[in-house]
Amino acid sequence: MTNGTENKEPAKKSNFIHLQIEQDLKDNKNNGRVHTRFPPEPNGYLHIGHAKSICLNFGIAEKFGGKCNLRFDDTNPTKEEMEYVDSIMKDVRWLGFDWEDRLFYASDYFGKLYDFAVQLINEGKAYVDDQGAETISQQKGTPTRPGMESPFRDRSSEENLDLFQRMAAGEFDEGARVLRAKIDMASPNMHMRDPIIYRIMKAHHHRTGGKWQVYPMYDFAHGQSDYWEGITHSVCTLEFEVHRPLYNWFIDQLIEGDYRPRQVEFARLNLTYTVMSKRRLLELVKEGYVNGWDDPRMPTISGLRRRGYTPESIRSFSDRIGVTKVDGMIDVSLLEYSVRDHLNKTAQRVMGVLNPMKVIITNYPEGQEEEHDAINNPEDPEMGSRKVSFSRELYIEQEDFMEDPPRKFFRLALGREVRLRYAYFITCNDVIKDKDGNITELHCTYDPASRGGNSPDGRKVKATLHWVSVKHAVKAEVRLYDRLFNDEDPGGHKDVDFKEFLNPDSLNVLPECFIEPFVSDAKPLDNFQFERLGYFNLDFDSTPGKPVFNRTVPLRDSWTKEQNK
RNA sequence: UGACCUGUGGUGUAAUUGGCAACACGUCUGAUUCUGGAUCAGAAGAGUCCAGGUUCGAGCCCUGGCAGGUCAACCA
């Protein structure tokens, strides 16, 4: 990450976690050190909610001159894969953050964790339970009723140690026994009711292979990993709030000296019209409702990247939404605002026609062509200009012509004059139709004196249209995306599966669009503004002769708004 | 019938030790414009979940309610 001064992004908003850290610093906790970590489980791709956490954690390190680790929470070999590890590292880097040499895995600590478990056994604070999952669960009680103690709770340390070692040696079947912390079966906090800390799993682990037959549970690995890495502020989401006493209990058993990590919880991100759980996203991918984790309709980092979102836009979004403990729902329009805001300032402008309507300039000589200057980005003069080719046959947007224009429609109509951007004023004289009455082309005349787009007599037109020259344009496929779900909170209905709310029109492929040849040199992910339409970027599916564009987001559109009134 | 957490315009966040509820998005006007974009100017919209209390003064403190969320995986 760039350091402070050269960073043009606005100063980061403060939040309650920053305030707590400032207080900790005042109290000289942990000798004034600030060290965070981003701890994903490699069981899926990262999504925009993780981006919030990444920005928060790395942002804290940046703000307080501390460090932020990347740590994979890989304690469940049945769900975790190398593919996910790779994608996560790629996404974090793409977002603009750097863990330097601090890449860790919970599996790095399997040895220490095992030793710690042995220590707890020796201290009489952990025991092997021979009961099955169902029995243990029943004995656990309910949130409103205390649990009851396991008949194996008071085994001797020797027996526990022997059993645990044999568990680790693979002597028992999966599920046959577990190691539990001996805390309090009557605790009002379910997590303190002798939580399971080790289970037998004979699965192959993506890093340790077949070395282990027992794996630590999340609660037994996370805080300890924090401790061994010197983490000072262990930032996680709200659902772990009730785990905090357990987190602290393990730290208490481990602690020597003054240093102590502290868990702080914040509200995870919820966005309207999408789902944000890895389970649901995985379901969409596995069952083919979308085309992979990086489908541009997905709220994954890889999906947003492919869709044309920039790291800057995601970071500014993340800053804009803030950090609190209120479990709310952010309007996607805020995300869309963030990309528009960034792309408006940075994206190359280009003209492209999505739904072509042929226009013949009847008074323009056949075979003649010429070039006009076009500004690359009016928001950034340094981006310069380019030439666009003009000729007798052009395409304009179908929606830019109406035979029977309503009062506030300013664009082309029979007998009306409009401007072709950077080129000429044209007037429509004739509408050509086929047998069925469909308009096939428009006959227009141009005013040679308006070359460049202005008439010397000061004549005004109410509309400027984008266009391309038929002869020069590049044919492209354009993919238009709409929200993946029709419901604001598809995952929030108790009796209806979220997939019921899938938007059947979330993908609209336009196979025959025409774009000015400037885009021929584009590389995948390059962002453009197609003037008057929106922001688009080149997709990986492009082939040399056939570019494919994704619409990132349309431009704000006060005309559609007017129509909807 | 439990524990923990959270309630501020439509949405998201602010509000120094209690001191006129602020900002962003969205919405609506108007100006401007070779993008019905951008930009600029302005407006509407909450009296802070409710009821008490302390105080000269409460969104901030106290009491009691109410509402929502989380917790009963050998998941994280």
Side-chain angles (χ1 to χ4, degrees), chain A residues 493-508:
Chain A
H493 301 264
K494 287 205 168 60
D495 304 317
V496 193
D497 184 78
F498 74 105
K499 296 193 295 305
E500 296 292 312
F501 300 102
L502 277 163
N503 174 8
D505 303 317
S506 59
L507 171 62
N508 184 202

Side-chain angles (χ1 to χ4, degrees), chain A residues 238-302:
Chain A
L238 249 30
E239 66 270 28
F240 292 101
E241 209 152 25
V242 280
H243 294 238
R244 196 181 339 138
L246 183 56
Y247 180 101
N248 287 331
W249 191 88
F250 288 128
I251 296 296
D252 285 338
Q253 315 307 313
L254 206 52
I255 200 164
E256 34 188 74
D258 291 336
Y259 156 65
R260 169 181 270 275
R262 165 184 185 183
Q263 179 179 304
V264 186
E265 310 86 9
F266 72 100
R268 61 162 3 117
L269 171 65
N270 296 303
L271 258 191
T272 55
Y273 299 104
T274 192
V275 291
M276 205 73 88
S277 80
K278 279 200 264 186
R279 196 207 91 218
R280 292 198 172 104
L281 295 175
L282 181 66
E283 201 174 329
L284 292 174
V285 172
K286 285 255 158 88
E287 294 175 20
Y289 292 99
V290 295
N291 305 311
W293 285 100
D294 69 344
D295 185 301
R297 293 167 294 181
M298 292 281 274
T300 49
I301 309 284
S302 51

Side-chain angles (χ1 to χ4, degrees), chain A residues 333-357:
Chain A
S333 68
L334 197 58
L335 217 209
E336 294 177 342
Y337 169 82
S338 299
V339 232
R340 285 201 192 97
D341 187 47
H342 183 232
L343 258 18
N344 174 47
K345 291 169 189 139
T346 57
Q348 166 76 42
R349 266 60 167 178
V350 108
M351 291 195 285
V353 174
L354 267 35
N355 298 298
M357 160 79 76

Side-chain angles (χ1 to χ4, degrees), chain A residues 413-459:
Chain A
L414 206 49
R416 185 184 289 177
E417 185 174 53
V418 298
R419 170 168 39 236
L420 293 181
R421 182 144 213 200
Y422 299 126
Y424 291 106
F425 284 10
I426 60 165
T427 305
C428 180
N429 310 301
D430 254 317
V431 180
I432 312 300
K433 296 181 182 176
D434 63 17
K435 301 180 268 306
D436 304 322
N438 303 311
I439 302 175
T440 54
E441 58 184 48
L442 303 172
H443 285 6
C444 300
T445 51
Y446 82 116
D447 173 8
S450 63
R451 194 189 144 85
N454 281 303
S455 168
D457 63 11
R459 213 159 72 235

